[in-house]
Amino acid sequence: MSDNQNLLAEQRRALILEEVRRRGGARVNELTRKLSVSDMTVRRDLDALAQQGALEKVHGGAVPVAEASTHEPGFEAKSSLELSAKEDIARAAATMAQPGSAIALSGGTTTFALARHLVDVPNLTVVTNSVRVADVFHAAQRSGGGQGSGSRPGAATVVLTGGVRTPSDSLVGSVADAAIRSLHFDALFLGVHGISAEAGLSTPNLAEAETNRHFVGSARRVIVVADHTKWGTVGLSSFASLDQVDTLVTDGGLPSEARAEMQERLPELVVAGEQEARETGPEEPDALQV
């Protein structure tokens, strides 16, 4: 893969992490051949990923981290992972937000990516417990209004819940819960730490689990945005069952057995990226509903 010589460090590290997770481990010499970079570059990337807690270095390579159910990675640690998958998911999910509707966005790196696409949907009312998500909309308002003209026409109205900040930069606790309970959303776009058939949607943070329960309870439609690495992960606290999910937007890395189960359990499964390829490619029979 000679093109990988010019990849940004974060893109290269995402490829390394995907390879380690997919194979259950990888050796330095294998990664140098796959990425067409030097041993020193790979070792620096492994050091950086290990410092983020994304993998564990071993002699000659790296293995996945066996995370405890209470382990909660920070926003920065997660923001450089699965970049292309998150972008595909965000693009697909943004089409589900109707102009003029009231929506909620939970905290997380995937909803953060989604927010950048939603700034172009007119007249939204956005409720979020993420300072970073709110900042995306506020920045769009400032850049689009022009000097002295105020907010740009059609800019979203943003409500930030308040609360206590978690390591993943979500606002949780009694203040956030009270704000969310008093509101009603046409759609909730929900990022998750883990999703599984048995545990449903889960998080390692007890307070965040409670806040997410209120989000789910206040929404007419629950749209989960989660890349394939979230499948099979179980955090300390479950906050919703799969029966409470209307739509899962994920990426093409989701295993075939998980796809089959999600298609059976959920009203709608959207596999981002693959859907777009079919829409732009030659017509084919409808073999898979996405």
Side-chain angles (χ1 to χ4, degrees), residues 223-248:
I223 302 167
V224 174
V225 288
D227 69 73
H228 68 278
T229 65
K230 306 299 179 65
W231 176 256
T233 297
V234 178
L236 177 64
S237 179
S238 294
F239 58 85
S241 67
L242 292 183
D243 295 339
Q244 295 172 277
V245 176
D246 297 294
T247 302
L248 170 62

Side-chain angles (χ1 to χ4, degrees), residues 75 127 152 178-179 183 249 280:
F75 186 94
V127 177
R152 63 181 173 82
L183 301 171
V249 186
T280 58

Side-chain angles (χ1 to χ4, degrees), residues 24-150:
R27 300 186 65 80
V28 170
N29 58 2
E30 295 169 341
L31 293 170
T32 58
R33 287 197 299 270
K34 184 176 182 63
L35 299 172
S36 297
V37 295
S38 68
D39 282 12
M40 184 176 297
T41 297
V42 169
R43 292 183 190 279
R44 280 199 301 264
D45 289 340
L46 293 180
D47 285 338
L49 290 167
Q51 289 174 2
Q52 293 174 0
L55 53 70
E56 180 180 351
K57 286 187 66 181
V58 295
H59 181 68
V63 296
V65 173
E67 291 184 350
S69 61
T70 56
H71 176 64
E72 183 177 10
F75 186 94
E76 299 299 340
K78 295 186 292 185
S79 62
S80 63
L81 307 178
E82 304 298 335
L83 293 175
S84 61
K86 289 174 183 176
E87 182 63 19
D88 287 342
I89 291 167
R91 190 182 302 110
T95 65
M96 302 176 188
Q98 298 301 313
S101 62
I103 66 171
L105 271 71
S106 72
T109 54
T110 307
T111 50
F112 177 74
L114 172 59
R116 295 197 294 265
H117 289 271
L118 291 177
V119 295
D120 295 323
V121 180
N123 301 313
L124 288 177
T125 298
V126 179
V127 177
T128 184
N129 67 329
S130 168
V131 176
R132 292 179 185 258
V133 166
D135 282 346
V136 170
F137 288 99
H138 291 316
Q141 290 175 2
R142 290 193 298 270
S143 64
Q147 186 173 2
S149 63

Side-chain angles (χ1 to χ4, degrees), residues 179-202:
I180 294 165
R181 279 199 307 268
S182 67
L183 301 171
H184 303 280
F185 316 117
D186 297 307
L188 163 66
F189 295 90
L190 181 64
V192 297
H193 173 81
I195 178 171
S196 74
E198 297 78 16
L201 312 181
S202 63

Side-chain angles (χ1 to χ4, degrees), residues 262-283:
M262 292 299 95
Q263 286 177 317
E264 183 177 344
R265 297 281 298 273
L266 302 180
E268 184 179 28
L269 171 67
V270 175
V271 182
E274 293 183 3
Q275 180 186 35
E276 295 173 1
R278 277 197 296 276
E279 289 174 350
T280 58
E283 293 187 6

